[in-house]
Amino acid sequence: MDATTAMYVGQIMHGLAYGMLLFLVASGLTLIFGMMGILNLAHASFFMLSAYFCVSVIHMGGNFWLALLAAPIITAAIGVMVERFLLRGIHASGHIGELILTVGVMMVIMEAVQVFWGTDSHMISVPPALAGMVNIFGLQYPLYRLFVIFLALAILGLLVLFLFKTKMGMIIRAGVSDAEMVEALGINMPLVFMMVFAAGTWLAGVAGVAISPLLSVFPGMADQMGMDAFVVVVVGGFGSLLGAFVSALFFGLLNSFGIQFLPRIAPVLMFVFMVLVLSFKPKGLFGERE
């Protein structure tokens, strides 16, 4: 493979890896909004919190695999408490109250990580089993980034199976269309809402652990990922899992090639694209809600 082709293949792989991480975060966000109608601005903070739990698990003698299992579950448990004791009480008051509350949760999480973990960056090593490079059509590519891509694809497959092949998935999809009607049939919708919120924060938690060996863990890591995930959800369409997947892949590739060819304006490319999409499709590419 010549150098130019290797560069393009490498950028595509980098874009896919980042796009898959974006999808993990954005899918949880769009799942929560699609089912519950809550635009959770603290979602990326759960992503960051899980990365810090990963740091603690490893520092206590665990390994990356234990952290990948435990940190998202702990994060989801905290998400359940936020939904049960904070968000549920103000849901009827509308989006303004929810937005203010989730901003407050975001600030509390930010202060908490600085108190318990400090402001220094924490480095997480790639697990030994995923260290090294793999040959892709003559290109030497980091094995761990390939793992991230397949991890996200596996979770996407499980989500699709759960939503479209199980009774609970059918209830969730029916709840998206008409929650009051589903509740009238005897379904405990508050419990379903809580499970969806837990699933959404779990997805953010998985992304937080997965990204830890690629980036350092620091208090500001939620800012960039949170903004990118929000743009993904807006462009893909609120409540659309397909839209989140397509737009996450697109923005991953846009970010990768933008940094390579247009480094000075790369950070704003996705916002320009978002403005263009919303100008012609206010509901996003696949959305049904404004």
Side-chain angles (χ1 to χ4, degrees), residues 69-91:
L69 176 66
I73 293 176
I74 299 171
T75 304
I78 295 174
V80 165
M81 289 190 286
V82 169
E83 191 281 330
R84 175 63 184 86
F85 298 108
L86 298 178
L87 280 169
R88 191 178 298 182
I90 66 163
H91 184 62

Side-chain angles (χ1 to χ4, degrees), residues 229-242:
F230 183 74
V231 173
V232 165
V233 172
V234 170
V235 172
F238 285 113
S240 172
L241 203 59
L242 174 63

Side-chain angles (χ1 to χ4, degrees), residues 32-86:
I32 290 170
F33 183 82
M35 178 66 190
M36 306 172 66
I38 296 175
L39 188 54
N40 177 20
L41 295 187
H43 191 70
S45 298
F46 290 109
F47 155 83
M48 176 182 67
L49 190 60
S50 183
Y52 275 101
F53 286 141
C54 174
V55 170
S56 292
V57 170
I58 292 176
H59 283 180
M60 287 189 293
N63 56 33
F64 174 81
W65 302 109
L66 180 61
L68 183 60
L69 176 66
I73 293 176
I74 299 171
T75 304
I78 295 174
V80 165
M81 289 190 286
V82 169
E83 191 281 330
R84 175 63 184 86
F85 298 108
L86 298 178

Side-chain angles (χ1 to χ4, degrees), residues 217-237:
V217 179
F218 64 103
M221 68 182 294
D223 297 340
Q224 184 61 48
M225 180 59 80
M227 184 57 70
D228 288 358
F230 183 74
V231 173
V232 165
V233 172
V234 170
V235 172

Side-chain angles (χ1 to χ4, degrees), residues 107-152:
M107 296 176 70
V108 168
I109 292 176
M110 173 63 76
E111 290 299 320
V113 299
Q114 294 186 47
V115 169
F116 290 105
W117 288 280
T119 57
D120 294 336
S121 298
H122 299 270
M123 304 300 295
I124 301 295
S125 299
V126 172
L130 298 176
M133 313 292 279
V134 61
N135 189 305
I136 301 176
F137 302 113
L139 173 71
Q140 295 298 311
Y141 192 75
L143 178 59
Y144 184 77
R145 287 179 180 267
L146 206 59
F147 163 75
V148 169
I149 294 173
F150 284 107
L151 174 67

